[in-house]
Amino acid sequence: MDITIIGTGNMARGIATRALEGGQDVTLLGTAQAKADALAQELPGEVRTGQVGDPLAADVVVLAVWYQAVPDVLARYGDQLAGKVVVDITNPVDPETYAPLTVEAGSVAQEIADTVPGAKVVKAFNTTFAGTLVDGEVAGTPLDVFVAGDDDEAKRVVTQLVTEGGLRAVDVGPLALARQLEGAGYLNMAVQPALGTNYASALKVVA
C-alpha cells in the first residue's frame, strides 16, 4: 500500500510508525521539506519526503493535521483527491483551549466529503493518541481504531492499514457516524486530567 501522510506532527509520527510496521510505502509531506526530513530520520524505516503542494501519487492520503488546517489542504489538493481514499483523523477542537467546536456539516469528515465529493472519505484514528500509536498498544493490548465511511472498499483499505500495523479495526458504519466518533475523540481528551494518564490511555471495546 502506498500512503501519503500530510503533516509532520505527533499523529503523523504515530500513523507512519504503524504503516511502516505493516510494510506500507510511506511519503511524508510537511509545510517545509526540512520538517518532513527531520521526522523521516526518526522513523523505523525508509520514508519518502516532500513539501505540502507536491503532487499526490499515493492512492491513500492521511490528513494528519489540525482541523483548522483542513480547508487549506483541500484548497491545494481538491482535484487530486478525487478517487483517492482520504483518511480524516481530526477532532474539531480549539488548539489553544481544546474546547470542542461545532461543525455545520455534522463532522469534519462529512465537511471534507461535501467539499471534495469525488474523494472516498474515511474517519479513523481520531480516538487514538499519538504516543499510543507509536507503541501500538496500551497495557499490552492492541489499540482499537474505529472506522466510519460510506465506501466499503475504502473502509477495507483503511482496515488493512490498521490491522497490518498491529491494531484492531472496528467498523462503526457509515460516514454519518463520524460525528459520534469525533465526540468520542473529544471525550477521550477531556478525561485525561482525571485519569492522570497523560494521553497514554485508549478507548477499547471488550466483549
Side-chain angles (χ1 to χ4, degrees):
M1 190 184 302
D2 197 354
I3 302 165
T4 291
I5 299 174
I6 299 177
T8 55
N10 290 332
M11 284 298 290
R13 180 193 305 274
I15 294 171
T17 299
R18 289 299 101 213
L20 291 168
E21 178 72 18
Q24 319 302 349
D25 294 325
V26 176
T27 299
L28 290 173
L29 298 183
T31 52
Q33 177 78 45
K35 290 184 177 181
D37 291 342
L39 177 55
Q41 291 174 6
E42 299 174 2
L43 292 171
E46 293 188 13
V47 176
R48 295 185 297 271
T49 62
Q51 188 169 337
V52 174
D54 290 351
L56 297 177
D59 291 327
V60 181
V61 179
V62 179
L63 305 185
V65 297
W66 284 92
Y67 165 55
Q68 287 74 13
V70 169
D72 180 63
V73 172
L74 298 184
R76 288 175 180 267
Y77 287 117
D79 292 343
Q80 294 185 53
L81 293 174
K84 296 185 183 297
V85 176
V86 177
V87 184
D88 168 39
I89 74 164
T90 63
N91 287 311
V93 297
D94 185 304
E96 299 296 330
T97 65
Y98 281 79
L101 302 174
T102 300
V103 179
E104 186 175 349
S107 69
V108 183
Q110 190 61 61
E111 186 176 85
I112 295 169
D114 291 346
T115 304
V116 190
K120 303 173 184 178
V121 181
V122 177
K123 190 78 179 185
F125 294 106
N126 76 294
T127 62
T128 55
F129 294 134
T132 64
L133 278 170
V134 171
D135 295 335
E137 61 181 29
V138 170
T141 302
L143 301 181
D144 281 354
V145 176
F146 301 99
V147 178
D150 292 334
D151 187 290
D152 289 340
E153 176 59 19
K155 285 200 291 184
R156 186 200 65 76
V157 168
V158 176
T159 294
Q160 179 184 342
L161 169 63
V162 170
T163 56
E164 290 183 354
L167 314 178
R168 185 175 78 156
V170 180
D171 187 345
V172 304
L175 196 65
L177 290 178
R179 179 177 184 177
Q180 281 68 36
L181 287 185
E182 290 173 6
Y186 177 72
L187 176 64
N188 202 17
M189 290 187 284
V191 300
Q192 292 309 300
L195 290 177
T197 58
N198 194 26
Y199 296 90
S201 64
L203 299 181
K204 182 73 177 177
V205 175
V206 179

